[in-house]
Amino acid sequence: MKLPLTVSIATLAAFTPLALAEADSHADAKTKLEKDRQAILAMAGEYKVSFQFMETVPLVAGYEFFPPKTSGATEFVEVISDEGNVIDMQHVLVMGKGDESMVVKHWRQAWVYEDSHLTTFKGDNTWETRALSAEETAGKWTQFVYQVDDSPRYEGIGEWTHEGGVSAWESEETWRPLPRRERTVRSDYQVMGCVNRHTLTPTGWVHEQDNSKIVLADDGSIDKVLVREVGLNIYDRMGEGIADGQTHDFSAGREYWDSTSSFWADVREAWSDKLDVEGTVALKKKVDDKTLWQHMFIYAADIADGDTAYDEAEVEVFITETLAAFDATRQQSASAAE
């Protein structure tokens, strides 16, 4: 006796070559996404870091190279949030040992898969956020790099690749403010255009930079490019006998981060709200003869030292008033309208 044929058309359609190919493609995308995530998360840890920068190609007549710059540090990279398609990591410098340790909250990098917006530096301490189309962001990650006070620095977009056993991500050219190593000694250019490349290595990871030092015209367009520069930041993992067998005591940095993390979470939230609401953000360089990072660091240090107890309401007032004092957006808009 034959069994009745009860397989529906929809069921049969699920097994067509096209449907099976689409299912395989979806599975491959999920596998690729997880590889991307693991590559990003692999950048967390404790590191001995070397920073190397050298100008390479003069692009205007008579330009004289500035000397190469090298420095080093020990720092840890902490995953402070992992929501699947959004990963946030904080860098904390810890120099010296024991009671002599110098702790500095360093830069922060936030990764978003298929992000809907991109924040770009425009020069003159101004950032602008624009919408991304689905085509622009498909399969790609944005990396938003924040300054030490959690104000924006630069954001780039690119795709992670995992070929030949090497995981790497490369951005398009991204404008950013002058780094501290430059802005303290130079005023002959206003913007650094940078292609960023992050690559995992057997001993940690590296951040390569292809930089262009850009002079802006009064209307914000490119007037000229002075010189090209290469940068190589090498992160060698410590504590596992990799960085020349060296270890380092990061406890002072861990204690600082534990005691101030709630404060910095409030700062991040305030900046997130501000960037979500305002398409353009411009900042004053100093208020009361202090930079934004100095205001934030002093308040955080008081919490870390126990001089100020963390109080969410008081912190909210401080952050709101401080960001408002540094906000030059309306001032810039009024000047542009004149």
Side-chain angles (χ1 to χ4, degrees), residues 281-301:
V281 172
L283 296 175
K284 300 173 186 176
K285 292 183 178 178
K286 287 189 175 183
V287 172
D288 296 333
D289 204 34
K290 293 186 181 68
T291 62
L292 178 57
W293 72 263
Q294 288 174 319
H295 283 275
M296 294 295 187
F297 273 35
I298 290 170
Y299 198 99

Side-chain angles (χ1 to χ4, degrees), residues 14 16-32:
T16 63
L18 177 59
L20 291 173
E22 289 177 347
D24 287 343
S25 176
H26 182 65
D28 289 344
K30 289 183 68 175
T31 301
K32 167 68 164 53

